[in-house]
Each structure stands twice: as C-alpha cells, then as structure tokens.
Amino acid sequence: QKEVEQNSGPLSVPEGAIASLNCTYSDRGSQSFFWYRQYSGKSPELIMFIYSNGDKEDGRFTAQLNKASQYVSLLIRDSQPSDSATYLCAVNPGGNNRLAFGKGNQVVVIP
Amino acid sequence: DAGVIQSPRHEVTEMGQEVTLRCKPISGHDYLFWYRQTMMRGLELLIYFNNNVPIDDSGMPEDRFSAKMPNASFSTLKIQPSEPRDSAVYFCASSPIGRETQYFGPGTRLLVL
C-alpha cells in the first residue's frame, strides 16, 4: 500500500467553479499534511498545511482533514485559469522531516 | 533571501557518463532532500540529510547513485554510470528544524541518451 494516494484523473472545472481534490494516506500516526502546487515545468510550491481535524481556510483554498478516515481534501473556490496546475498531497509520517508525496492531480480551469 | 539553488538546470549526457548534480540549500535549514520526478512514478525521495549526515538513503535506486553533503551549504548527487532510465527531473529541497515544510529548488532536467 502506498503511503499517499491520489487516484483521481485530470480534473476539468469551469472558471468560477469549485475544484475538489482528495488524498488518502496509510499511516494512521501521521501528524501533518500538506498541499503543494506544481505548474508545468516548475518545482512544487507549498500552498497549504494542516495539522488538526477539520477545515483550514486560506483565501480561496480550504484544506480539510479527517484523521479517522485518513483523508485530506483541498477545495479551490472561484477557480481561476491561473489555478491550472498539478496539486500534490504530502504527508509527514512522523518522527522526522520526511514527507511522502502522492503522484498528484492535474487541474485544468476552463475559461 | 535566495531560495534553494540547483545546478545545472539542464543536463544532456550519453549513457555511461558520470553526472553530478549540485544543490545549495536555504541558509539555516538543517534538512536537505533529493527527489526524482517522472511521469510514471511521480515524486520519489532518494535520500535526505540532517545536519550534513545522511539519514535515509533507502530511496536511492542502486549503487550507481551516490550523494554527499560535505558542509551545510552544499550537496551533490552523482550518477555513475548514467543510463537512459535515469532521465528525469531531479529536485533538491530543504527545510528548517522543527518545521516539516520543504522548499524546493528549480530542479535539474536530466536526459541520458
């Protein structure tokens, strides 16, 4: 079983709509969770992190964590063409600074 | 403040040649990570260091790969001999102690012919 799984294929959303991404993780002891955005040909950049169960909002982005079900979600409200990118979910399994990354979900915002 | 610096940005080489990738982490960061990214396998952790000491190299694919961190401001990833299947983007990232957030360099695009 992979440490972090992002199974959805490319997601196409119209401009202004909500994009919803999901990620599951295998290590129940994981304590911290991250979403990175990666534009084509660029390096990953952090957009959100969350440690506690529930929701965390930052501008148009909301991260949701459910430790009991071992999943993390990212919502992008009022999607813009500039949000078109691959979104990587990352989990810290605990004990050090290592992160386990999912393979990513591509988001395409259609004007 | 400068971010993570990697060189070269692009490398094209022939099979069998030695390849050396370089990384300068963000000043003051105690952790340094080397990743490889391909379409098929995504972002894979190869090795990481804490205070210049290798902590986990279980992701290094085989003995052809080696990494060093002689001081807090410099690390190298070496592939010898290189093979076409090593073609990928190699990222270096660093993070400060006490925070898991990793900051990535621009990457090195390696093509082995």
Side-chain angles (χ1 to χ4, degrees), chain A residues 2 31-32 34 36 38 40-46 49 51 88 92 95-103, chain B residues 31 33 35 37 39-43 45 48 56 91 95-106 109:
Chain A
K2 294 183 179 179
Q31 295 296 318
S32 48
F34 304 80
Y36 281 78
Q38 186 175 22
S40 180
K42 301 296 186 182
S43 57
E45 58 176 336
L46 179 72
F49 62 87
Y51 298 130
L88 302 169
N92 181 294
N96 51 52
N97 276 29
R98 182 179 76 86
L99 294 181
F101 282 84
K103 290 189 68 175
Chain B
Y31 286 85
F33 306 82
Y35 292 90
Q37 187 175 42
M39 288 293 292
M40 286 294 294
R41 300 174 70 90
L43 194 63
L45 177 65
Y48 74 98
D56 184 353
F91 288 106
S95 67
I97 193 167
R99 291 185 58 197
E100 301 97 339
T101 303
Q102 294 182 16
Y103 299 87
F104 283 76
R109 292 184 177 275

Side-chain angles (χ1 to χ4, degrees), chain A residues 37-57:
Chain A
R37 177 177 60 200
Q38 186 175 22
Y39 291 116
S40 180
K42 301 296 186 182
S43 57
E45 58 176 336
L46 179 72
I47 53 172
M48 296 237 14
F49 62 87
I50 186 168
Y51 298 130
S52 303
N53 268 334
D55 296 358
K56 179 181 179 181
E57 188 175 313

Side-chain angles (χ1 to χ4, degrees), chain B residues 18-89:
Chain B
E18 178 178 296
V19 175
T20 299
L21 311 181
R22 298 172 177 80
C23 175
K24 176 179 169 58
I26 294 172
S27 178
H29 283 194
D30 297 288
Y31 286 85
L32 184 140
F33 306 82
W34 281 102
Y35 292 90
R36 178 173 66 178
Q37 187 175 42
T38 60
M39 288 293 292
M40 286 294 294
R41 300 174 70 90
L43 194 63
E44 300 175 281
L45 177 65
L46 300 176
I47 185 172
Y48 74 98
F49 297 83
N50 180 20
N51 289 326
N52 313 337
V53 176
I55 302 301
D56 184 353
D57 65 354
S58 60
M60 297 286 260
E62 48 197 273
D63 292 345
R64 297 185 298 106
F65 286 69
S66 62
K68 295 181 180 179
M69 192 165 186
N71 58 61
S73 58
F74 184 65
S75 177
T76 59
L77 178 68
K78 186 175 295 187
I79 308 172
Q80 167 62 20
S82 58
E83 296 183 3
R85 59 192 169 124
D86 301 330
S87 299
V89 181

